[in-house]
Amino acid sequence: MKRLVLNPSAAHPITIVRTRGEVVVYVSDREVARTARALTLLEAKYLPVQYIPIEDVVATVLRPSATTSYCPYKGDAAYYSVDLGDGVVFEDLIWTYREPYPAVAAIAGRLAFYANRAHVIHT
């Protein structure tokens, strides 16, 4: 099955910029990421999303998920759950585009947290 592939345009702009300052992510009051190397993805009328290098996320909390999704502007997304080791797992809290389309290649290998489920702070 051939997938629809769309490029950013004036009708659906996508911009990626280096985030100034630091981004810190908390899940259930526990710090799970801290970076000064985040990228902010601005897409159409959506809220900005912070993409964090995987190296700046606490590796021990990451659990690969079987969940996938598709975006015609970015490509195939894979997901991670966050396991804080206290018996509570936050399913599919993080997504990543391992091989994004060329227009958004800068986000390859970076992780994004659902801001309505994690506390993403930009300082």
Side-chain angles (χ1 to χ4, degrees), residues 17-102:
V17 296
R18 173 128 346 246
T19 304
R20 291 186 182 183
E22 191 169 58
V23 174
V24 183
V25 181
Y26 293 90
V27 175
S28 189
D29 296 327
R30 181 166 163 198
E31 184 178 305
V32 297
R34 179 178 293 267
T35 189
R37 303 183 302 146
L39 297 178
T40 303
L41 184 138
L42 305 159
E43 180 176 3
K45 295 180 181 179
Y46 297 110
L47 293 173
V49 175
Q50 299 299 317
Y51 279 84
I52 298 171
I54 194 168
E55 302 86 10
D56 296 341
V57 178
V58 177
T60 58
V61 304
L62 296 176
R63 299 291 176 269
S65 168
T67 301
T68 61
S69 65
Y70 179 74
C71 171
Y73 292 96
K74 295 186 274 313
D76 291 304
Y79 289 76
Y80 287 94
S81 297
V82 172
D83 183 346
L84 298 179
D86 57 2
V88 179
V89 177
F90 297 84
E91 299 289 338
D92 299 332
L93 183 64
I94 300 168
W95 73 91
T96 185
Y97 293 92
R98 292 184 179 116
E99 296 179 13
Y101 291 144

